[in-house]
Amino acid sequence: MNEPHASSRAGAPVQERAAAPPRAPDAQGGRLLHDWKGAHARVLGYLAALGVPEAERAGLALAAVERAATRDAWAPGSDAHAESLRAVRELLLERTSPAPSPDAESSAGAGFLGWRLAAWLAGTPEAWAPPGAPSGPRALRATPDLVFGHMVPERVERRGLRASVARRLGRGARGTWGPRGGTGPGRRLHDRRRRLPWTRAARRRRALLVFLVLIPSVVASGFMQNVLPHRGSTWLEAAIVLVFGALFGWISIGFWTALLGFVTLLRRDRFAITARGRGRDTALDPAARTALVMPICDEPVDRVFAGLRATHHSLERSGALANFDFFVLSDTRDPGTWVNEEEAWAAWCRQVGGFGRIFYRHRKAPVARKSGNIADFCRRWGRAYRYLVVLDADSVMSGDTLVELVRLMQRNPRVGMIQTAPQTVNRRSLFARVQQFANKLYGPMFAAGLHYWQLGHGQYWGHNAILRVAPFMRHCSLTRLPGRPPWGGEILSHDFVEAALLGRAGWEIWLAFDLDGSFEEPPSTLLEEMKRDRRWCQGNLQHSRLLFSEGLFPAHRALFVNGVMSYVSALLWFGFLALSSAEAISEALRPPDYFPSGRSLFPEWPVWRPDWALTLVAVTGSILFLPKILGILLVLLRGTARQFGGPLRLGASVLFEILLSSLLAPIRMVFHSRFVLWNLLGRTVAWRSQGREDLETSWRAAFAHHGWDTLVASAWGAGVYWLNPDYFWWLTPIVAALILSVPVSVLASRISLGMAARRFGLFVIPEESAPPPELVELQAEIRRARERGRELPPAERDGLVRAVVDPYANAIHAALLGRRGALQPRIRERRRALLRRAVLEGPDALAGSERRVLLADPELASEAHAAVWSIAERERARTWGRPGGD
């Protein structure tokens, strides 16, 4: 952050003198002389930190020490360091009045802080506004003027099924959204949407889906019943048949979604949101302002701002930058990361002239996490914008895609939200590269299939989507669920609920499945993915409490069920394996009963039909793996195989992906089953940010997370083999994957293996073969940011230390905090004591909460800066990364 300083060039020139401190009176002795020598050295260091040209430092330092010496500072007990630092600030301030012209500042090489920083340090923040920043009483404005709006939760009747039945029986009152209730504008939109052409097509398509899933599932369940030895006549076999039928139906939904998506991508769909007004050039309405909002919480700062910069540059190339504003909404609790965010924001604004268009806000209390952060933005500034694009911390979007989203919203005034289908990119570990490859190869089919079933009843994934602000503010404020977490409290998976509420009010939600230029990054390891899924599991299971809320469309209720089944299906699979094992063990231990119904002319023979079982396994495997073949076929038909490394490497990549997916599926099953059981037992999840960088799993971490699974699977397999060897071989793929979970988790996380696969041309995606400019700029920005970080002194890589020590970081931080409110005397005294202890013992002695207190008080932060620079003892100064006083 240090910039060349130009203030000393303004006003009267500094007379050059010898770089030596004044002579102390003989009566004061050698100690005072020693203090003033240290003070002179400290002033020189401070001027260097300010970026004052080296040729001018000696004169300014000498003038500052001389001025301090005239204030009776030679008296015993005086602080030569503090007096000299105060004097140099006064000198700098004097030389900034009158302020130099912008040309003079530019020619002197000063940045946007430059000559005005001294005015801030002298206590006159009004004079410190950087060029291009909004004028006002605050020195540095990180947020626009407030435009207050309301965002109040609507009443959600969760007992909608009971209330609907009661009304139909004439025993209940009219509901807000029931069949005979509600007359407001939302209700009228709700009813009108039922008569749109696409809604009739959606009903036909969903009826087809029910038929395609239900009939084969019933047939497969009957087949499984006949495979079992007693043909489902025992309670154990009946449970196996029921669970198998549910699982078969679940995987059938994925199969038919991929198949219909394949057809949609080949033939296109006239109802696609991107097909509306195709070929019509819709100019952006200058009055239709769009806010790009990125909520963050303790995220890697380099990656966050590199992605925003890449998106900003892309919008600039598209020529539509003037229609967009950027907001970084921080819930960060770590003090060092907080300071890093402020510096990155200020540097970005300075570089691109972004003051007044690029904003940053740090919330003091992260109420309701991400959804609360978005709602807070809407209440403060939502009325100033027509559209809102929500980004995640690892999101990157192209300018052309953003412009097209705005145009689609302008062409379709009934649309309240458009969700893009982000592509996963930029990871290097073997695990993440396989996920990226699968996402790129199969993802477009599944996205197109989701569109085929959903049409205007789409879903919202919480990021890389555009929202119409006014209806979102009116209908999508979330209330707390009654009860305690994990089933009550804040709604974690807020995105599905917000889409359902927006749809309930009559607004259309579409998935732009064929719109490119939307990117995100996958978790780099299996354990990172499971940490994320732990949160998603709790949030999705909460949706079961909203399933029968009044007024929701059946499609959104189905999405709630789909979210629940995403995790409950793992428990069903685990239950199916457990029941099957119990059946196999029971058959091995229990003597056969040929007359279970009493005396009979003919015995009942237990019959095991392995040929039928093989047929059932083949059918199930076809349903699971045929979408992968369709993905290859789609690439070949489109002639894009070269972007995946060529046909041969594409085929080899798919085979390896199938192998790794088969090993990972049982491991995921066990984790997800555990997550569901934890929620059923009332255990809640701690909210932590997802790892956004390339990480690797250590052997110790793998044993900690997979060790018990390995032991249980080994005992499970050994017991089944001992009691029923024939059934053991059917169980082998599951047991073997769990036994190998530790090495699979570790090796899949290795970056070296991922890069080796890249060198062999495996798991290549088009974004690697021909990277779009946004991703090229993203990597370049990350490299530059990390190089700047390496240039910092080791101590100042801690953001707290830099906020206290670096004059620019301290000035930015104090300016963004604004004025401190009135404090009670006892609180003020406690904070003073904290400051004294911090200066005395160094930053490492402060706990996290104490660091936050120190940084959250603007006066305390400014006093800490002056106090640390005034430390005379060498060892104490070094704890803050500053040179000693002598």
Side-chain angles (χ1 to χ4, degrees):
M1 285 299 300
N2 293 346
E3 304 285 349
H5 187 79
S7 62
S8 58
R9 300 183 184 275
V14 177
Q15 181 180 0
E16 296 293 339
R17 301 188 179 101
R23 179 175 300 174
D26 295 337
Q28 301 299 329
R31 178 58 187 166
L32 285 178
L33 180 63
H34 177 83
D35 289 345
W36 284 99
K37 285 182 178 180
H40 181 263
R42 184 59 52 82
V43 171
L44 285 174
Y46 193 72
L47 292 173
L50 282 172
V52 174
E54 186 174 359
E56 301 180 14
R57 295 175 197 166
L60 276 170
L62 184 59
V65 173
E66 285 182 341
R67 176 174 295 195
T70 64
R71 296 173 174 162
D72 295 329
W74 290 92
S78 64
D79 192 334
H81 290 72
E83 291 293 339
S84 298
L85 287 171
R86 186 158 65 94
V88 79
R89 293 176 190 174
E90 293 172 355
L91 287 171
L92 292 174
L93 177 59
E94 291 169 4
R95 286 161 172 77
T96 62
S97 300
S101 66
D103 293 338
E105 182 183 3
S106 177
S107 64
F112 79 93
L113 292 172
W115 51 271
R116 291 192 184 257
L117 174 64
W120 167 259
L121 294 174
T124 55
E126 293 80 7
W128 189 75
S135 60
R138 289 180 58 185
L140 186 61
R141 303 198 62 189
T143 57
D145 293 331
L146 296 175
V147 187
F148 284 113
H150 296 288
M151 198 168 176
V152 180
E154 291 184 340
R155 179 174 177 269
V156 177
E157 175 54 63
R158 294 181 294 107
R159 295 182 294 273
L161 180 62
R162 183 191 308 175
S164 178
V165 172
R167 283 193 300 272
R168 291 182 181 275
L169 296 176
R171 300 174 182 173
R174 291 176 57 179
T176 306
W177 293 96
R180 290 177 283 180
T183 58
R187 177 67 194 192
R188 290 195 295 271
L189 283 171
H190 183 279
D191 291 339
R192 188 186 307 146
R193 197 169 76 170
R194 294 181 181 273
R195 299 189 292 270
L196 295 175
W198 65 262
T199 60
R200 294 193 291 270
R203 284 193 290 268
R204 293 193 299 269
R205 293 179 180 187
R206 291 163 194 165
L208 174 62
L209 175 63
V210 171
F211 175 81
L212 292 175
V213 171
L214 186 59
I215 300 304
S217 298
V218 172
V219 172
S221 298
F223 207 88
M224 169 59 78
Q225 180 179 355
N226 290 321
V227 166
L228 295 171
H230 299 282
R231 292 180 291 280
S233 60
T234 67
W235 69 268
L236 192 56
E237 291 187 355
I240 291 173
V241 171
L242 289 175
V243 173
F244 175 80
L247 289 172
F248 193 91
W250 173 247
I251 64 174
S252 297
I253 294 174
F255 169 77
W256 292 113
T257 298
L259 181 60
L260 271 298
F262 174 81
V263 175
T264 300
L265 290 175
L266 290 181
R267 299 181 57 184
R268 298 200 57 79
D269 188 343
R270 65 189 179 94
F271 292 114
I273 187 65
T274 52
R276 298 186 182 184
R278 185 178 295 277
R280 183 175 34 160
D281 186 14
T282 304
L284 296 186
D285 183 358
R289 303 286 300 163
T290 302
L292 272 71
V293 173
M294 179 180 283
I296 58 176
C297 180
D298 291 307
E299 305 284 357
V301 178
D302 293 347
R303 172 60 185 85
V304 165
F305 283 89
L308 289 169
R309 283 172 176 260
T311 301
H312 183 276
H313 292 163
S314 186
L315 270 173
E316 191 173 25
R317 287 193 300 271
S318 72
L321 183 60
N323 293 78
F324 294 83
D325 289 343
F326 287 74
F327 285 81
V328 181
L329 306 177
S330 173
D331 277 346
T332 294
R333 310 308 298 156
D334 178 71
T337 305
W338 176 13
V339 174
N340 293 341
E341 291 170 358
E342 293 174 335
E343 288 190 276
W345 166 79
W348 180 25
C349 289
R350 171 182 173 268
Q351 182 179 354
V352 302
F355 292 103
R357 296 185 299 103
I358 301 172
F359 304 105
Y360 171 85
R361 179 169 187 261
H362 180 266
R363 284 205 301 171
K364 294 181 180 179
V367 178
R369 301 184 179 92
K370 181 178 178 180
S371 62
N373 210 348
I374 296 293
D376 184 75
F377 163 83
C378 290
R379 294 187 189 98
R380 290 171 175 269
W381 303 292
R383 290 177 55 201
Y385 298 93
R386 186 180 300 178
Y387 308 120
L388 171 67
V389 176
V390 181
L391 303 175
D392 216 348
D394 55 7
S395 296
V396 177
M397 296 187 72
S398 75
D400 293 339
T401 299
L402 291 168
V403 170
E404 182 61 20
L405 286 173
V406 174
R407 286 174 175 163
L408 290 173
M409 296 293 275
Q410 291 182 181
R411 293 175 197 153
N412 302 277
R414 290 194 186 97
V415 173
M417 183 185 300
I418 300 176
Q419 173 69 61
T420 65
Q423 300 296 314
T424 53
V425 294
N426 279 353
R427 284 289 184 250
R428 298 182 298 161
S429 70
L430 179 62
F431 174 85
R433 286 185 54 78
V434 171
Q435 305 310 306
Q436 290 174 178
F437 173 78
N439 173 266
K440 187 63 180 181
L441 187 61
Y442 319 132
M445 284 189 311
F446 283 98
L450 286 175
H451 157 81
Y452 184 85
W453 307 123
Q454 295 171 354
L455 294 182
H457 295 123
Q459 62 197 96
Y460 172 41
W461 294 328
H463 59 93
N464 292 46
I466 188 169
L467 292 66
R468 198 177 297 272
V469 177
F472 183 82
M473 290 178 62
R474 181 171 182 178
H475 303 291
C476 296
S477 182
L478 301 181
T479 185
R480 289 176 62 90
L481 293 175
R484 299 173 58 186
W487 298 95
E490 296 172 356
I491 298 175
L492 297 187
S493 294
H494 58 91
D495 36 21
F496 279 31
V497 180
E498 289 162 347
L501 293 176
L502 198 60
R504 182 179 79 160
W507 294 91
E508 301 174 16
I509 299 102
W510 291 87
L511 173 61
F513 65 93
D514 54 351
L515 193 60
D516 295 326
S518 177
F519 308 101
E520 63 175 342
E521 294 174 349
S524 57
T525 70
L526 176 63
L527 293 183
E528 283 297 318
E529 182 186 86
M530 291 301 101
K531 290 178 184 177
R532 180 198 66 184
D533 285 3
R534 176 71 179 93
R535 300 194 308 269
W536 287 5
C537 176
Q538 179 173 328
N540 286 10
L541 292 181
Q542 282 181 324
H543 294 165
S544 61
R545 301 189 64 188
L546 299 169
L547 185 59
F548 297 110
S549 299
E550 280 192 304
L552 300 185
F553 280 98
H556 288 123
R557 300 186 199 276
L559 288 174
F560 285 168
V561 174
N562 181 77
V564 172
M565 281 297 297
S566 298
Y567 295 95
V568 173
S569 61
L571 188 59
L572 290 177
W573 185 17
F574 185 82
F576 174 77
L577 294 172
L579 291 170
S580 301
S581 299
E583 172 73 3
I585 294 172
S586 175
E587 288 299 312
L589 297 179
R590 184 180 59 190
D593 184 2
Y594 299 107
F595 301 97
S597 303
R599 295 183 178 181
S600 175
L601 185 60
F602 300 102
E604 293 184 12
W605 301 96
V607 179
W608 167 246
R609 298 180 176 87
D611 53 337
W612 285 29
L614 287 172
T615 303
L616 195 59
V617 169
V619 172
T620 305
S622 299
I623 290 176
L624 290 172
F625 297 119
L626 188 58
K628 301 179 185 294
I629 299 174
L630 293 177
I632 297 175
L633 183 59
L634 185 63
V635 168
L636 296 177
L637 291 174
R638 289 181 165 182
T640 58
R642 290 177 61 87
Q643 298 178 6
F644 290 87
L648 293 179
R649 291 186 176 88
L650 173 63
S653 297
V654 170
L655 290 176
F656 281 115
E657 187 272 331
I658 291 174
L659 175 61
L660 185 58
S661 298
S662 300
L663 290 172
L664 294 175
I667 303 174
R668 289 188 173 110
M669 172 198 70
V670 171
F671 270 94
H672 290 173
S673 300
R674 190 181 296 129
F675 296 160
V676 174
L677 291 174
W678 283 348
N679 277 272
L680 292 175
L681 294 174
R683 292 182 58 179
T684 188
V685 60
W687 187 274
R688 295 184 179 90
S689 298
Q690 175 184 322
R692 306 286 184 183
E693 299 177 331
D694 282 313
L695 304 172
E696 292 188 344
T697 300
S698 66
W699 287 98
R700 182 175 182 177
F703 275 108
H705 287 86
H706 303 291
W708 283 108
D709 299 341
T710 299
L711 292 175
V712 171
S714 300
W716 181 14
V720 171
Y721 182 79
W722 178 44
L723 297 171
N724 193 333
D726 292 335
Y727 177 72
F728 168 79
W729 300 110
W730 294 90
L731 200 61
T732 299
I734 309 298
V735 171
L738 293 175
I739 292 175
L740 295 173
S741 59
V742 170
V744 167
S745 182
V746 171
L747 296 178
S749 73
R750 291 292 183 255
I751 295 174
S752 58
L753 293 180
M755 299 313 295
R758 175 70 179 89
R759 289 191 294 272
F760 283 106
L762 298 177
F763 313 121
V764 176
I765 58 175
E767 285 75 13
E768 293 174 326
S769 302
E774 293 78 18
L775 298 186
V776 174
E777 290 179 359
L778 171 66
Q779 295 302 320
E781 291 287 352
I782 291 175
R783 285 194 299 271
R784 284 193 287 268
R786 290 175 178 170
E787 288 172 1
R788 289 192 296 268
R790 286 192 290 268
E791 291 172 358
L792 289 172
E796 291 190 26
R797 293 171 190 173
D798 180 349
L800 170 73
V801 173
R802 199 163 55 259
V804 171
V805 171
D806 186 273
Y808 291 91
N810 183 264
I812 292 170
H813 180 72
L816 296 188
L817 287 175
R819 297 186 182 278
R820 186 182 72 183
L823 295 178
Q824 296 180 5
R826 57 187 180 84
I827 296 178
R828 187 182 300 111
E829 181 54 36
R830 281 205 302 266
R831 293 188 179 183
R832 298 283 183 190
L834 172 63
L835 174 60
R836 290 192 293 270
R837 186 163 67 85
V839 173
L840 181 64
E841 300 179 11
D844 293 338
L846 301 179
S849 59
E850 293 173 327
R851 286 170 165 242
R852 284 192 290 271
V853 169
L854 182 63
L855 287 184
D857 187 324
E859 293 183 14
L860 207 63
S862 297
E863 291 173 9
H865 175 69
V868 166
W869 274 99
S870 300
I871 297 175
E873 294 85 352
R874 178 186 296 272
E875 294 303 322
R876 285 176 53 204
R878 282 178 176 173
T879 63
W880 287 95
R882 304 305 332 147
D886 51 355

